[in-house]
């Protein structure tokens, strides 16, 4: 266990250790019932006093994540929710534990499910995709130029595709040159490359609260300190950063999903966008703009991307095309300039020496076929209908006290149970009936709110959506009417 | 500039700082003539005394990597070889430098070339690949199952492909289950995933000396300390690890290319393989076995993979299929078991949420088409011929004093100039005549030997090979007969 401690931080060391171990438990890195290292061992490895370790373990015990057994040691609670529903293979328990640096992988953990109705997949259902057009593009492209198959691509990505993407971004109100574009394996790799370039132990990264769970996983695994600020109807509450700055330290990176925010669906107003850029410039810090689906607006287009408002080259823009266009190609890209781009390119080389060329050529062929803009228009309508259906179903089946947003774009709904409820316990019940969703707790980097959940309406058929929300409604009803003693026996209150 | 200092190491801090800055200069991360941060600034950032920084800068000055200008500061030498041949774009110099964690990227740096004859590409020439069979596989696969295009793959990789690879590895004398296999974006990502899981600042990794340059880049960028041991005709000299252990510290990972070693082409004997496994078990450390091309033996098959000799699950096996089969698909894989596999899988999720599915299905289709084994037999013969041609040409054109290995498999020749020569200076001359090769210096993690170079005979036509080696011969001749004053005016002696 390698927990990165930030000795200059205002967060006490015991809290940092508690969080490091909690992250691992909630990512399923420890089996339920597994023994933790001894106080002495932790004290040695982490180079802190035994008193600090004991305090951290006490905090974990209070959260019911671990149990202390007198004379034997400290054990991960056997009933840790979020871990126990995940059946582990016995093989995995035999090999000796080797200290590792994957501090958190909750996104991965909560996406491993065999549930029949999966409301956690934030991608577009195959039935809505232009599959036949994709197939035709592939076949045509291969027939015209089979030699593509025998070539490695450039590390930065195929020049032809980058030329096209530069034009495409112009329609999205962003002026970029093909040299500024770096092709990545999905947007996830874009986030990861930025983190591996610019974040390390002790560096501070700011995120929205809640935010995209897999981004938290990446930042924490780099050993960075994550500050988070809440979102409201105008997006990230930029002004809430100021008191954090007074506490000492200055962020190196601000990560944001400004448009159809993941998971809450809100859109950052243009005013806030300008405030954010200005603050970033004052702080001399980078901004990572994650734009998964700004094209998928339901009625009116969102404000221009942050990068369009940036004159200093401090915004890095990240985008994935897989979820809305060609999942099997997983082509994403990032846009950066100057030295930042140069570093990201070197990091991409170290990471994997470049994306496969085949997929890039397939996506390019699809773009060139003119199918894309027709498809996008249809997708907007299809997803708006799906959102409407989901909202109607929630109105019908959700019990009193449950609230949700009505997003104007994107693929997700963010549900809130009454305070005091725990969506992880709800998930445990749902899994038993083969229904899955993303527990909102995975979207908090620090102090977790347990009473939220995210459902995606985009990757299920209308029948599954109806079945899923009806079932979810019944499960919420049952859970919320439990006697408060039972409802409260969670490890987290 | 984030230089990871290992304060528990026996290597003096000044030497560590020197190496950190030298790595960046030789990776082209600083422009020639660029000013380094001041002694005071470096002292503050690295938390060492100004005396230590001054000593480190003096060591860099002795290597002629930097120049001190009285009253002005310290500057990267304007004539640093290995950097200056690389023309930089002016745009890149305008943005402010932001401290980053990409400590070294020499592999990337030395692969950026527009030379007409490129002897540094260690891949198979398109003319030797089964391109038409690949094209047919793609077309057939898409026609039979266009829905593949609309699906995200599993994070671990396509089940069907993993089933096939398990069978394939059995023929390579390795018993594995599909669950142990994780599909990666080339072997490079396999190496990177292992490093990001198990190496961090202060951890020790052992490599061969010389070794694969991009692996050094990855290990150093994780902030790990790299120990290296020489190779001889039996491969890694395992016994040379023992005195290093006496100096304190214990490796967490041993990285090796046992079969047709990159760059020297040697094959580790079975005896050494067993010794290495035994030592790793004693040290309780992991072994990363990089096997780029053991199938491409010219006459007799090499000994079984290290992983076949391992009973404790401490060997991680990494393989890429791109370079010898389908470059545009870049499908690689790693094999690991137990908790190690589980961690690598979580790291893969954090890194990019999984390989694209399309390429995996294309490679699977090619495997299933039965073309593969016929192709492999032909490739062995083709490459053996190319090696013979390269050796004949060297015998004809290389000046006296230049030596090389004769590899029994793989794609590379390792050339040695007389001691005191510097292949970087030779590269500078070669680039001017549009010839490129890999300078051997990129293959050393620590104390560099400057007089070697690697040429690959696999990714050029016979005509290019002849032209390239004839030109190389002349350039070596010219360089070696320079007056020793001129030959020696390198920044490195």
């Amino acid at each position: 266990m390698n927990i990165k401690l930030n000795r200059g931080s205002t967060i006490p060391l015991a809290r940092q250790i508690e969080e490091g171990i909690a992250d691992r438990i909630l990512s399923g890195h420890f089996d339920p019932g597994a023994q933790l290292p001894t106080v002495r061992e932790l004290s040695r490895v982490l180079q802190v006093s035994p008193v600090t370790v004991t305090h951290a373990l006490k905090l974990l015990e209070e959260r019911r994540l671990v149990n202390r057994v007198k004379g034997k040691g400290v054990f991960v609670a056997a009933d840790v929710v979020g871990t126990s529903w995940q059946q582990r293979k016995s093989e995995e328990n035999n090999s000796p534990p080797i200290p590792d640096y994957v501090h958190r992988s909750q996104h991965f953990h909560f996406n491993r499910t065999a549930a029949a109705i999966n409301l956690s997949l934030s991608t577009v259902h195959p039935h809505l995709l232009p599959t036949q057009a994709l197939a035709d593009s592939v076949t045509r492209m291969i027939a015209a130029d089979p030699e593509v198959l025998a070539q490695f691509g450039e590390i930065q990505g195929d020049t032809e595709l980058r030329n096209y993407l530069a034009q495409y971004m112009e329609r999205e109100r962003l002026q970029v040159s093909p040299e500024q574009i770096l092709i990545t394996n999905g947007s996830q790799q874009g986030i990861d490359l930025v983190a591996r370039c610019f974040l390390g132990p002790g560096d501070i990264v700011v995120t929205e609260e809640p935010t995209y769970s897999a981004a938290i996983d990446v930042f924490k695994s780099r050993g960075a300190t994550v500050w988070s600020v809440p979102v409201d109807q105008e997006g990230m509450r930029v002004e809430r950063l100021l008191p954090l700055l007074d506490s000492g330290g200055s962020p190196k990176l601000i990560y944001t999903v400004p448009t159809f925010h993941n998971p809450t669906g809100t859109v950052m107003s243009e005013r806030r966008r300008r405030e954010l850029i200005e603050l970033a410039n004052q702080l001399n810090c980078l901004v990572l703009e994650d734009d998964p689906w700004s094209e998928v607006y339901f009625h009116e287009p969102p404000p221009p991307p942050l990068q369009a408002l940036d004159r200093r080259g401090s915004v890095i823009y990240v985008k994935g095309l897989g979820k809305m266009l060609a999942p099997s190609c997983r082509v994403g890209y990032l846009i950066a300039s100057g030295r930042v781009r140069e570093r990201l390119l070197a990091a991409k080389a170290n990471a994997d020496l470049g994306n496969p060329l085949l997929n890039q050529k397939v996506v390019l062929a699809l773009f060139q076929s003119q199918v894309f803009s027709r498809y996008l228009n249809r997708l907007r309508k299809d997803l708006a209908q799906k959102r409407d259906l989901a909202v109607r179903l929630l109105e019908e089946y959700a019990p009193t006290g449950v609230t949700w947003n009505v997003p104007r774009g994107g693929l997700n709904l963010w549900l809130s149970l009454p305070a005091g409820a725990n969506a992880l316990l709800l998930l445990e019940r749902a899994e038993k009936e083969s229904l899955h969703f993303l527990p909102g707790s995975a979207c908090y980097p620090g102090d977790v709110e347990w009473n939220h959940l995210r459902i995606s309406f985009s990757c299920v058929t209308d029948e599954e959506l109806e079945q899923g929300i009806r079932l979810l409604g019944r499960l919420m009803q049952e859970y919320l009417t439990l006697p408060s003693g039972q409802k409260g026996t969670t490890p987290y209150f």
Side-chain angles (χ1 to χ4, degrees), chain A:
Chain A
M1 188 151 45
N2 293 299
I3 296 174
K4 289 289 151 209
L5 299 178
N6 182 358
R7 286 163 206 275
S9 165
T10 52
I11 304 165
L13 288 178
R15 274 282 287 134
Q16 293 185 44
I17 297 169
E18 176 213 350
E19 207 173 287
I21 298 179
D23 273 341
R24 282 161 188 263
I25 292 177
L26 291 170
S27 301
H29 292 195
F30 290 114
D31 298 323
Q35 183 165 13
L36 290 187
T38 61
V39 171
R40 198 168 147 188
E41 176 67 11
L42 283 171
S43 154
R44 189 185 65 76
V45 172
L46 302 173
Q47 303 194 323
V48 295
S49 75
V51 176
T52 304
V53 172
T54 307
H55 184 46
L57 293 175
K58 206 165 155 249
L59 292 169
L60 288 165
E61 211 181 353
E62 280 166 17
R63 288 172 70 180
R64 302 201 199 175
L65 288 170
V66 304
N67 296 313
R68 196 184 306 240
V69 181
K70 266 212 170 139
K72 290 206 166 171
V74 178
F75 297 82
V76 176
D79 60 348
V80 172
V81 186
T83 301
S84 53
W85 61 266
Q86 194 66 261
Q87 277 302 322
R88 301 310 213 73
K89 297 208 184 62
S90 58
E91 178 228 23
E92 287 155 23
N93 303 322
N94 294 334
S95 51
I98 293 166
D100 70 271
Y101 292 89
V102 188
H103 300 197
R104 190 186 130 130
S105 58
Q106 284 200 36
H107 185 82
F108 170 55
H109 179 62
F110 286 113
N111 270 289
R112 292 172 108 176
T113 178
I117 301 182
N118 190 344
L119 298 179
S120 80
L121 279 178
S122 227
T123 61
V124 172
H125 194 279
H127 291 181
L128 303 180
L129 290 168
T131 309
Q132 196 51 52
L134 260 173
D136 295 344
S137 296
V138 179
T139 312
R140 213 166 38 238
M141 188 269 291
I142 296 292
D145 189 9
E147 289 299 319
V148 158
L149 289 161
Q151 288 159 24
F152 275 100
E154 282 176 70
I155 290 173
Q156 183 168 0
D158 182 53
T159 309
E160 274 191 295
L161 178 61
R162 288 189 285 115
N163 287 340
Y164 191 93
L165 290 173
Q167 288 170 36
Y168 177 70
M169 290 315 297
E170 207 170 313
R171 273 178 274 161
E172 297 293 311
R173 295 159 290 175
L174 208 47
Q175 294 278 349
V176 297
S177 78
E179 283 69 40
Q180 286 176 268
I181 298 175
L182 166 60
I183 306 291
T184 60
N185 195 19
S187 60
Q188 182 67 26
Q189 190 182 42
I191 298 168
D192 189 63
L193 289 176
V194 172
R196 68 191 278 156
C197 266
F198 299 112
L199 293 179
D203 288 331
I204 295 165
V205 53
V206 175
T207 71
E208 281 134 354
E209 175 188 297
T211 188
Y212 173 48
S213 51
I216 308 174
D217 295 337
V218 167
F219 300 149
K220 289 213 170 184
S221 291
R222 286 294 301 174
T225 299
V226 186
W227 286 357
S228 57
V229 293
V231 286
D232 63 14
Q233 285 311 309
E234 274 196 84
M236 182 190 265
R237 294 185 59 185
V238 177
E239 87 285 0
R240 292 285 285 268
L241 248 170
L242 303 176
L244 291 172
L245 294 171
D246 292 337
S247 75
S250 184
K252 197 160 169 203
L253 181 73
I254 300 174
Y255 169 75
T256 176
V257 188
T259 307
F260 312 128
H261 172 250
N262 188 354
T264 69
T266 55
V267 177
M268 193 187 283
S269 65
E270 190 161 337
R271 185 174 63 94
R272 283 271 175 83
R273 287 175 198 237
R274 292 188 188 279
E275 283 170 14
L276 181 58
I277 294 288
E278 200 180 316
L279 184 64
N281 285 345
Q282 280 168 22
L283 296 173
N284 201 21
C285 85
L286 293 168
V287 175
L288 175 53
E289 174 177 28
D290 185 357
D291 180 21
W293 38 55
S294 61
E295 294 91 339
V296 193
Y297 54 84
F298 299 149
H299 298 289
E300 61 187 273
L306 283 167
Q307 205 177 45
L309 309 172
D310 167 39
R311 292 172 191 283
R312 304 218 323 185
S314 50
V315 176
I316 305 166
Y317 175 95
V318 164
K319 177 115 202 149
L321 295 174
K323 54 182 86 59
M324 65 171 184
L325 186 63
S328 70
C329 291
R330 283 192 59 66
V331 169
Y333 53 100
L334 61 78
I335 305 175
S337 52
R339 286 177 202 275
V340 170
R341 181 204 75 116
E342 196 62 17
R343 279 305 152 277
L344 290 166
L345 193 48
K348 172 70 177 170
N350 285 357
D352 64 9
L353 293 173
N355 264 45
L357 183 61
L358 173 60
N359 320 35
Q360 299 179 60
K361 291 294 193 190
V362 170
V363 168
L364 176 66
L366 188 73
F367 273 133
Q368 286 169 336
S369 73
Q370 313 295 329
V371 169
F372 183 68
S373 59
R374 277 205 313 277
Y375 157 70
L376 201 54
N377 280 331
R378 215 204 56 212
L379 182 65
R380 285 179 192 130
K381 288 193 191 107
D382 287 343
L383 289 178
Q385 276 176 16
K386 275 210 178 297
R387 177 207 58 179
D388 292 344
L389 174 61
V391 168
R392 259 203 326 276
L393 291 165
L394 280 171
E395 281 163 356
E396 186 169 349
Y397 296 113
T400 321
V402 176
T403 59
W404 55 87
N405 67 327
V406 180
R408 290 175 290 149
L411 319 179
N412 299 321
L413 283 165
W414 181 246
L415 274 64
S416 302
L417 306 178
N422 186 334
L424 273 182
L425 288 179
L426 185 67
L427 177 62
E428 194 170 54
R429 288 165 170 261
E431 274 285 326
K432 283 184 190 139
E433 307 210 21
S434 213
L435 172 70
H436 194 70
F437 56 79
L438 183 72
S441 53
C443 303
Y444 289 82
D447 289 326
V448 175
E449 293 182 16
W450 299 96
N451 59 317
H452 308 282
L453 54 140
R454 191 193 77 179
I455 63 175
S456 304
F457 47 79
S458 54
C459 200
V460 278
T461 62
D462 287 357
E463 294 69 37
E464 287 168 338
L465 191 59
E466 168 138 25
Q467 221 181 319
I469 293 186
R470 199 190 312 133
L471 177 54
L472 181 64
R474 173 167 67 74
L475 291 167
M476 290 195 290
Q477 177 71 36
E478 285 170 12
Y479 171 72
L480 291 174
T481 49
L482 283 175
S484 68
Q486 280 179 49
K487 202 166 54 185
T489 57
T490 79
Y492 310 106
F493 298 143

